PDB file of all heavy atoms in Angstrom:
ATOM      1  N   VAL A 189      39.130 -57.458   7.431  1.00 72.00           N
ATOM      2  CA  VAL A 189      38.771 -56.046   7.649  1.00 72.00           C
ATOM      3  C   VAL A 189      39.357 -55.170   6.550  1.00 72.00           C
ATOM      4  O   VAL A 189      38.701 -54.259   6.033  1.00 72.00           O
ATOM      5  CB  VAL A 189      39.250 -55.586   9.036  1.00 72.00           C
ATOM      6  CG1 VAL A 189      38.938 -54.098   9.237  1.00 72.00           C
ATOM      7  CG2 VAL A 189      38.587 -56.401  10.129  1.00 72.00           C
ATOM      8  N   LEU A 190      40.598 -55.434   6.168  1.00 69.00           N
ATOM      9  CA  LEU A 190      41.240 -54.632   5.127  1.00 69.00           C
ATOM     10  C   LEU A 190      40.546 -54.791   3.776  1.00 69.00           C
ATOM     11  O   LEU A 190      40.520 -53.843   2.980  1.00 69.00           O
ATOM     12  CB  LEU A 190      42.719 -55.014   5.002  1.00 69.00           C
ATOM     13  CG  LEU A 190      43.666 -54.322   5.980  1.00 69.00           C
ATOM     14  CD1 LEU A 190      45.081 -54.834   5.791  1.00 69.00           C
ATOM     15  CD2 LEU A 190      43.630 -52.813   5.811  1.00 69.00           C
ATOM     16  N   ILE A 191      39.998 -55.931   3.505  1.00 82.00           N
ATOM     17  CA  ILE A 191      39.264 -56.120   2.241  1.00 82.00           C
ATOM     18  C   ILE A 191      38.050 -55.195   2.207  1.00 82.00           C
ATOM     19  O   ILE A 191      37.744 -54.570   1.189  1.00 82.00           O
ATOM     20  CB  ILE A 191      38.850 -57.590   2.073  1.00 82.00           C
ATOM     21  CG1 ILE A 191      40.087 -58.443   1.759  1.00 82.00           C
ATOM     22  CG2 ILE A 191      37.821 -57.744   0.961  1.00 82.00           C
ATOM     23  CD1 ILE A 191      39.816 -59.933   1.746  1.00 82.00           C
ATOM     24  N   VAL A 192      37.343 -55.082   3.344  1.00 80.00           N
ATOM     25  CA  VAL A 192      36.187 -54.180   3.417  1.00 80.00           C
ATOM     26  C   VAL A 192      36.636 -52.737   3.227  1.00 80.00           C
ATOM     27  O   VAL A 192      36.020 -51.957   2.494  1.00 80.00           O
ATOM     28  CB  VAL A 192      35.456 -54.357   4.758  1.00 80.00           C
ATOM     29  CG1 VAL A 192      34.309 -53.359   4.871  1.00 80.00           C
ATOM     30  CG2 VAL A 192      34.935 -55.776   4.898  1.00 80.00           C
ATOM     31  N   ILE A 193      37.737 -52.356   3.897  1.00 71.00           N
ATOM     32  CA  ILE A 193      38.247 -50.984   3.761  1.00 71.00           C
ATOM     33  C   ILE A 193      38.700 -50.722   2.333  1.00 71.00           C
ATOM     34  O   ILE A 193      38.452 -49.651   1.760  1.00 71.00           O
ATOM     35  CB  ILE A 193      39.400 -50.755   4.763  1.00 71.00           C
ATOM     36  CG1 ILE A 193      38.846 -50.776   6.197  1.00 71.00           C
ATOM     37  CG2 ILE A 193      40.117 -49.448   4.475  1.00 71.00           C
ATOM     38  CD1 ILE A 193      39.917 -50.699   7.258  1.00 71.00           C
ATOM     39  N   ALA A 194      39.378 -51.704   1.727  1.00 76.00           N
ATOM     40  CA  ALA A 194      39.857 -51.533   0.350  1.00 76.00           C
ATOM     41  C   ALA A 194      38.690 -51.361  -0.618  1.00 76.00           C
ATOM     42  O   ALA A 194      38.790 -50.622  -1.601  1.00 76.00           O
ATOM     43  CB  ALA A 194      40.708 -52.742  -0.054  1.00 76.00           C
ATOM     44  N   ALA A 195      37.562 -52.011  -0.349  1.00 82.00           N
ATOM     45  CA  ALA A 195      36.380 -51.823  -1.200  1.00 82.00           C
ATOM     46  C   ALA A 195      35.934 -50.371  -1.174  1.00 82.00           C
ATOM     47  O   ALA A 195      35.569 -49.792  -2.206  1.00 82.00           O
ATOM     48  CB  ALA A 195      35.247 -52.744  -0.737  1.00 82.00           C
ATOM     49  N   GLY A 196      35.979 -49.755   0.017  1.00 77.00           N
ATOM     50  CA  GLY A 196      35.632 -48.340   0.122  1.00 77.00           C
ATOM     51  C   GLY A 196      36.616 -47.451  -0.607  1.00 77.00           C
ATOM     52  O   GLY A 196      36.237 -46.466  -1.253  1.00 77.00           O
ATOM     53  N   VAL A 197      37.914 -47.768  -0.496  1.00 73.00           N
ATOM     54  CA  VAL A 197      38.928 -46.994  -1.210  1.00 73.00           C
ATOM     55  C   VAL A 197      38.723 -47.113  -2.717  1.00 73.00           C
ATOM     56  O   VAL A 197      38.884 -46.144  -3.466  1.00 73.00           O
ATOM     57  CB  VAL A 197      40.346 -47.468  -0.816  1.00 73.00           C
ATOM     58  CG1 VAL A 197      41.407 -46.786  -1.665  1.00 73.00           C
ATOM     59  CG2 VAL A 197      40.602 -47.186   0.661  1.00 73.00           C
ATOM     60  N   LEU A 198      38.347 -48.292  -3.182  1.00 83.00           N
ATOM     61  CA  LEU A 198      38.067 -48.479  -4.602  1.00 83.00           C
ATOM     62  C   LEU A 198      36.893 -47.600  -5.040  1.00 83.00           C
ATOM     63  O   LEU A 198      36.940 -46.945  -6.086  1.00 83.00           O
ATOM     64  CB  LEU A 198      37.762 -49.945  -4.900  1.00 83.00           C
ATOM     65  CG  LEU A 198      37.400 -50.275  -6.355  1.00 83.00           C
ATOM     66  CD1 LEU A 198      38.550 -49.923  -7.286  1.00 83.00           C
ATOM     67  CD2 LEU A 198      37.019 -51.744  -6.494  1.00 83.00           C
ATOM     68  N   GLY A 199      35.820 -47.591  -4.231  1.00 81.00           N
ATOM     69  CA  GLY A 199      34.684 -46.739  -4.552  1.00 81.00           C
ATOM     70  C   GLY A 199      35.070 -45.271  -4.602  1.00 81.00           C
ATOM     71  O   GLY A 199      34.656 -44.530  -5.501  1.00 81.00           O
ATOM     72  N   TYR A 200      35.882 -44.828  -3.629  1.00 73.00           N
ATOM     73  CA  TYR A 200      36.356 -43.441  -3.614  1.00 73.00           C
ATOM     74  C   TYR A 200      37.203 -43.151  -4.846  1.00 73.00           C
ATOM     75  O   TYR A 200      37.087 -42.088  -5.473  1.00 73.00           O
ATOM     76  CB  TYR A 200      37.159 -43.206  -2.335  1.00 73.00           C
ATOM     77  CG  TYR A 200      37.873 -41.874  -2.281  1.00 73.00           C
ATOM     78  CD1 TYR A 200      37.195 -40.719  -1.928  1.00 73.00           C
ATOM     79  CD2 TYR A 200      39.230 -41.783  -2.581  1.00 73.00           C
ATOM     80  CE1 TYR A 200      37.844 -39.501  -1.883  1.00 73.00           C
ATOM     81  CE2 TYR A 200      39.885 -40.567  -2.542  1.00 73.00           C
ATOM     82  CZ  TYR A 200      39.189 -39.428  -2.181  1.00 73.00           C
ATOM     83  OH  TYR A 200      39.845 -38.225  -2.141  1.00 73.00           O
ATOM     84  N   GLY A 201      38.070 -44.092  -5.209  1.00 76.00           N
ATOM     85  CA  GLY A 201      38.924 -43.896  -6.383  1.00 76.00           C
ATOM     86  C   GLY A 201      38.120 -43.816  -7.668  1.00 76.00           C
ATOM     87  O   GLY A 201      38.411 -42.998  -8.550  1.00 76.00           O
ATOM     88  N   LEU A 202      37.091 -44.650  -7.794  1.00 86.00           N
ATOM     89  CA  LEU A 202      36.240 -44.595  -8.988  1.00 86.00           C
ATOM     90  C   LEU A 202      35.519 -43.253  -9.072  1.00 86.00           C
ATOM     91  O   LEU A 202      35.356 -42.695 -10.162  1.00 86.00           O
ATOM     92  CB  LEU A 202      35.232 -45.742  -8.958  1.00 86.00           C
ATOM     93  CG  LEU A 202      35.811 -47.158  -9.108  1.00 86.00           C
ATOM     94  CD1 LEU A 202      34.721 -48.201  -8.949  1.00 86.00           C
ATOM     95  CD2 LEU A 202      36.511 -47.315 -10.458  1.00 86.00           C
ATOM     96  N   ARG A 203      35.091 -42.727  -7.929  1.00 80.00           N
ATOM     97  CA  ARG A 203      34.432 -41.417  -7.938  1.00 80.00           C
ATOM     98  C   ARG A 203      35.412 -40.333  -8.384  1.00 80.00           C
ATOM     99  O   ARG A 203      35.037 -39.433  -9.154  1.00 80.00           O
ATOM    100  CB  ARG A 203      33.898 -41.098  -6.541  1.00 80.00           C
ATOM    101  CG  ARG A 203      33.187 -39.736  -6.449  1.00 80.00           C
ATOM    102  CD  ARG A 203      32.016 -39.675  -7.398  1.00 80.00           C
ATOM    103  NE  ARG A 203      31.312 -38.404  -7.304  1.00 80.00           N
ATOM    104  CZ  ARG A 203      30.389 -38.011  -8.160  1.00 80.00           C
ATOM    105  NH1 ARG A 203      30.051 -38.796  -9.177  1.00 80.00           N
ATOM    106  NH2 ARG A 203      29.792 -36.851  -8.013  1.00 80.00           N
ATOM    107  N   ASP A 204      36.654 -40.411  -7.922  1.00 73.00           N
ATOM    108  CA  ASP A 204      37.671 -39.452  -8.353  1.00 73.00           C
ATOM    109  C   ASP A 204      37.895 -39.526  -9.860  1.00 73.00           C
ATOM    110  O   ASP A 204      38.055 -38.502 -10.530  1.00 73.00           O
ATOM    111  CB  ASP A 204      38.993 -39.710  -7.624  1.00 73.00           C
ATOM    112  CG  ASP A 204      39.066 -38.953  -6.306  1.00 73.00           C
ATOM    113  OD1 ASP A 204      38.129 -38.184  -6.023  1.00 73.00           O
ATOM    114  OD2 ASP A 204      40.045 -39.130  -5.567  1.00 73.00           O
ATOM    115  N   LEU A 205      37.929 -40.739 -10.386  1.00 82.00           N
ATOM    116  CA  LEU A 205      38.110 -40.903 -11.831  1.00 82.00           C
ATOM    117  C   LEU A 205      36.914 -40.340 -12.597  1.00 82.00           C
ATOM    118  O   LEU A 205      37.075 -39.795 -13.695  1.00 82.00           O
ATOM    119  CB  LEU A 205      38.309 -42.382 -12.171  1.00 82.00           C
ATOM    120  CG  LEU A 205      39.634 -43.000 -11.708  1.00 82.00           C
ATOM    121  CD1 LEU A 205      39.656 -44.501 -11.959  1.00 82.00           C
ATOM    122  CD2 LEU A 205      40.813 -42.345 -12.422  1.00 82.00           C
ATOM    123  N   GLN A 206      35.726 -40.432 -12.019  1.00 81.00           N
ATOM    124  CA  GLN A 206      34.567 -39.808 -12.645  1.00 81.00           C
ATOM    125  C   GLN A 206      34.668 -38.291 -12.588  1.00 81.00           C
ATOM    126  O   GLN A 206      34.379 -37.602 -13.565  1.00 81.00           O
ATOM    127  CB  GLN A 206      33.278 -40.278 -11.948  1.00 81.00           C
ATOM    128  CG  GLN A 206      32.914 -41.733 -12.238  1.00 81.00           C
ATOM    129  CD  GLN A 206      31.658 -42.159 -11.519  1.00 81.00           C
ATOM    130  OE1 GLN A 206      31.502 -41.945 -10.317  1.00 81.00           O
ATOM    131  NE2 GLN A 206      30.729 -42.751 -12.245  1.00 81.00           N
ATOM    132  N   GLU A 207      35.086 -37.763 -11.441  1.00 73.00           N
ATOM    133  CA  GLU A 207      35.238 -36.316 -11.313  1.00 73.00           C
ATOM    134  C   GLU A 207      36.329 -35.800 -12.246  1.00 73.00           C
ATOM    135  O   GLU A 207      36.254 -34.670 -12.741  1.00 73.00           O
ATOM    136  CB  GLU A 207      35.593 -35.949  -9.866  1.00 73.00           C
ATOM    137  CG  GLU A 207      34.497 -36.232  -8.854  1.00 73.00           C
ATOM    138  CD  GLU A 207      33.359 -35.238  -8.933  1.00 73.00           C
ATOM    139  OE1 GLU A 207      33.511 -34.231  -9.662  1.00 73.00           O
ATOM    140  OE2 GLU A 207      32.320 -35.460  -8.289  1.00 73.00           O
ATOM    141  N   GLY A 208      37.341 -36.624 -12.485  1.00 70.00           N
ATOM    142  CA  GLY A 208      38.428 -36.224 -13.375  1.00 70.00           C
ATOM    143  C   GLY A 208      38.122 -36.429 -14.843  1.00 70.00           C
ATOM    144  O   GLY A 208      38.961 -36.150 -15.693  1.00 70.00           O
ATOM    145  N   GLY A 209      36.925 -36.934 -15.170  1.00 73.00           N
ATOM    146  CA  GLY A 209      36.531 -37.104 -16.559  1.00 73.00           C
ATOM    147  C   GLY A 209      37.065 -38.361 -17.215  1.00 73.00           C
ATOM    148  O   GLY A 209      36.893 -38.549 -18.421  1.00 73.00           O
ATOM    149  N   VAL A 210      37.716 -39.253 -16.435  1.00 81.00           N
ATOM    150  CA  VAL A 210      38.273 -40.477 -17.011  1.00 81.00           C
ATOM    151  C   VAL A 210      37.178 -41.519 -17.211  1.00 81.00           C
ATOM    152  O   VAL A 210      37.181 -42.246 -18.207  1.00 81.00           O
ATOM    153  CB  VAL A 210      39.390 -41.038 -16.097  1.00 81.00           C
ATOM    154  CG1 VAL A 210      39.928 -42.349 -16.649  1.00 81.00           C
ATOM    155  CG2 VAL A 210      40.514 -40.019 -15.958  1.00 81.00           C
ATOM    156  N   LEU A 211      36.248 -41.590 -16.268  1.00 86.00           N
ATOM    157  CA  LEU A 211      35.161 -42.559 -16.348  1.00 86.00           C
ATOM    158  C   LEU A 211      33.824 -41.821 -16.436  1.00 86.00           C
ATOM    159  O   LEU A 211      33.679 -40.728 -15.885  1.00 86.00           O
ATOM    160  CB  LEU A 211      35.162 -43.474 -15.110  1.00 86.00           C
ATOM    161  CG  LEU A 211      36.379 -44.398 -14.957  1.00 86.00           C
ATOM    162  CD1 LEU A 211      36.286 -45.177 -13.655  1.00 86.00           C
ATOM    163  CD2 LEU A 211      36.494 -45.360 -16.139  1.00 86.00           C
ATOM    164  N   PRO A 212      32.832 -42.424 -17.103  1.00 83.00           N
ATOM    165  CA  PRO A 212      31.525 -41.762 -17.248  1.00 83.00           C
ATOM    166  C   PRO A 212      30.654 -41.972 -16.013  1.00 83.00           C
ATOM    167  O   PRO A 212      31.041 -42.662 -15.066  1.00 83.00           O
ATOM    168  CB  PRO A 212      30.928 -42.468 -18.469  1.00 83.00           C
ATOM    169  CG  PRO A 212      31.510 -43.853 -18.392  1.00 83.00           C
ATOM    170  CD  PRO A 212      32.912 -43.689 -17.840  1.00 83.00           C
ATOM    171  N   GLY A 213      29.467 -41.408 -16.045  1.00 80.00           N
ATOM    172  CA  GLY A 213      28.471 -41.651 -15.002  1.00 80.00           C
ATOM    173  C   GLY A 213      28.589 -40.769 -13.788  1.00 80.00           C
ATOM    174  O   GLY A 213      28.113 -41.114 -12.709  1.00 80.00           O
ATOM    175  N   LYS A 214      29.181 -39.591 -13.934  1.00 74.00           N
ATOM    176  CA  LYS A 214      29.386 -38.694 -12.801  1.00 74.00           C
ATOM    177  C   LYS A 214      28.082 -38.307 -12.117  1.00 74.00           C
ATOM    178  O   LYS A 214      28.015 -38.173 -10.899  1.00 74.00           O
ATOM    179  CB  LYS A 214      30.132 -37.444 -13.284  1.00 74.00           C
ATOM    180  CG  LYS A 214      30.341 -36.370 -12.240  1.00 74.00           C
ATOM    181  CD  LYS A 214      31.057 -35.187 -12.840  1.00 74.00           C
ATOM    182  CE  LYS A 214      31.193 -34.048 -11.848  1.00 74.00           C
ATOM    183  NZ  LYS A 214      31.873 -32.864 -12.436  1.00 74.00           N
ATOM    184  N   ALA A 215      27.031 -38.112 -12.898  1.00 69.00           N
ATOM    185  CA  ALA A 215      25.743 -37.666 -12.347  1.00 69.00           C
ATOM    186  C   ALA A 215      24.725 -38.798 -12.237  1.00 69.00           C
ATOM    187  O   ALA A 215      23.574 -38.550 -11.903  1.00 69.00           O
ATOM    188  CB  ALA A 215      25.167 -36.544 -13.206  1.00 69.00           C
ATOM    189  N   SER A 216      25.137 -40.043 -12.503  1.00 78.00           N
ATOM    190  CA  SER A 216      24.209 -41.185 -12.452  1.00 78.00           C
ATOM    191  C   SER A 216      24.259 -41.800 -11.051  1.00 78.00           C
ATOM    192  O   SER A 216      25.067 -42.688 -10.772  1.00 78.00           O
ATOM    193  CB  SER A 216      24.590 -42.230 -13.505  1.00 78.00           C
ATOM    194  OG  SER A 216      24.521 -41.681 -14.801  1.00 78.00           O
ATOM    195  N   TYR A 217      23.407 -41.311 -10.166  1.00 77.00           N
ATOM    196  CA  TYR A 217      23.433 -41.749  -8.775  1.00 77.00           C
ATOM    197  C   TYR A 217      22.576 -43.002  -8.579  1.00 77.00           C
ATOM    198  O   TYR A 217      21.436 -43.066  -9.032  1.00 77.00           O
ATOM    199  CB  TYR A 217      22.931 -40.636  -7.857  1.00 77.00           C
ATOM    200  CG  TYR A 217      23.924 -39.507  -7.711  1.00 77.00           C
ATOM    201  CD1 TYR A 217      23.821 -38.370  -8.494  1.00 77.00           C
ATOM    202  CD2 TYR A 217      24.962 -39.595  -6.799  1.00 77.00           C
ATOM    203  CE1 TYR A 217      24.739 -37.335  -8.376  1.00 77.00           C
ATOM    204  CE2 TYR A 217      25.884 -38.572  -6.663  1.00 77.00           C
ATOM    205  CZ  TYR A 217      25.766 -37.449  -7.455  1.00 77.00           C
ATOM    206  OH  TYR A 217      26.674 -36.434  -7.332  1.00 77.00           O
ATOM    207  N   ALA A 218      23.144 -43.977  -7.891  1.00 82.00           N
ATOM    208  CA  ALA A 218      22.385 -45.177  -7.543  1.00 82.00           C
ATOM    209  C   ALA A 218      21.447 -44.874  -6.387  1.00 82.00           C
ATOM    210  O   ALA A 218      20.346 -45.418  -6.309  1.00 82.00           O
ATOM    211  CB  ALA A 218      23.340 -46.310  -7.170  1.00 82.00           C
ATOM    212  N   PHE A 219      21.886 -44.008  -5.477  1.00 79.00           N
ATOM    213  CA  PHE A 219      21.026 -43.569  -4.370  1.00 79.00           C
ATOM    214  C   PHE A 219      21.557 -42.236  -3.858  1.00 79.00           C
ATOM    215  O   PHE A 219      22.715 -41.881  -4.061  1.00 79.00           O
ATOM    216  CB  PHE A 219      20.983 -44.602  -3.237  1.00 79.00           C
ATOM    217  CG  PHE A 219      22.331 -44.908  -2.632  1.00 79.00           C
ATOM    218  CD1 PHE A 219      22.890 -44.105  -1.646  1.00 79.00           C
ATOM    219  CD2 PHE A 219      23.063 -46.009  -3.060  1.00 79.00           C
ATOM    220  CE1 PHE A 219      24.126 -44.389  -1.094  1.00 79.00           C
ATOM    221  CE2 PHE A 219      24.305 -46.302  -2.521  1.00 79.00           C
ATOM    222  CZ  PHE A 219      24.832 -45.483  -1.536  1.00 79.00           C
TER     223      PHE A 219
END
Side-chain angles (χ1 to χ4, degrees):
V189 177
L190 276 177
I191 288 173
V192 176
I193 292 174
V197 173
L198 178 61
Y200 172 81
L202 292 175
R203 180 59 179 169
D204 272 356
L205 290 174
Q206 289 179 311
E207 294 286 351
V210 177
L211 295 177
K214 176 181 176 181
S216 299
Y217 287 96
F219 59 83

